[in-house]
């Protein structure tokens, strides 16, 4: 079961990475791999269910399936975001190893706060 789950999550991660890098043809190939991995997972799940004999095993299998379903919700949401970004023409660049990914705190605050006008008093929230 774990192997089939890993196949699905790996295919999602590879497709997301390809989309984020702007490699649409590779992303399409990973999409095909994802479909195949999903079919393998479903077939494995059905085979395991046929072999389960005790109520404890049924409960364990269902708990594992729910945990994987929760993980898939997050992974597929991230993949959907990457697809939308790709369709919009956005390409994500990885920060280089030696550079900071965010400006210093003071610069971030300055970017998010409106400029102060001389003589203007702060309003209470």
């Amino acid at each position: 079961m774990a192997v089939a789950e890993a196949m699905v999550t790996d295919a999602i991660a590879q497709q997301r990475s390809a989309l984020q890098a702007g490699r649409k043809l590779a992303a399409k190939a990973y999409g095909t791999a994802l479909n195949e991995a999903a079919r393998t997972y479903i077939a494995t799940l059905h085979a395991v269910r046929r072999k389960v004999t005790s109520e404890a095993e049924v409960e364990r299998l269902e708990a594992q399936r729910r945990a994987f379903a929760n993980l898939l919700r997050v992974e597929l949401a991230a993949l959907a975001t990457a697809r939308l970004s790709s369709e919009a023409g956005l390409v994500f660049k990885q920060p280089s190893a030696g550079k900071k990914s965010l400006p210093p705190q003071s610069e971030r605050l300055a970017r998010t706060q409106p400029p102060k006008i001389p003589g203007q008093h702060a309003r209470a929230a």
Side-chain angles (χ1 to χ4, degrees), residues 37-59:
R39 279 192 280 281
T40 300
Y41 171 76
I42 297 296
T44 303
L45 181 61
H46 288 296
V48 170
R49 281 182 178 163
R50 284 192 296 273
K51 294 179 182 179
V52 170
T53 56
S54 73
E55 187 63 33
E57 288 177 323
V58 170
E59 289 175 14

Side-chain angles (χ1 to χ4, degrees), residues 1-10 41 44 48 61 64 68:
M1 235 8 227
V3 172
E5 291 171 355
M7 288 172 57
V8 171
T9 55
D10 288 348
Y41 171 76
T44 303
V48 170
L61 181 62
Q64 184 179 356
F68 184 58

Side-chain angles (χ1 to χ4, degrees), residues 90-108:
L90 301 177
V91 176
F92 297 88
K93 296 187 179 186
Q94 298 294 328
S96 61
K99 293 185 179 179
K100 293 181 181 178
S101 59
L102 292 175
Q105 180 69 24
S106 59
E107 288 181 35
R108 287 196 308 251

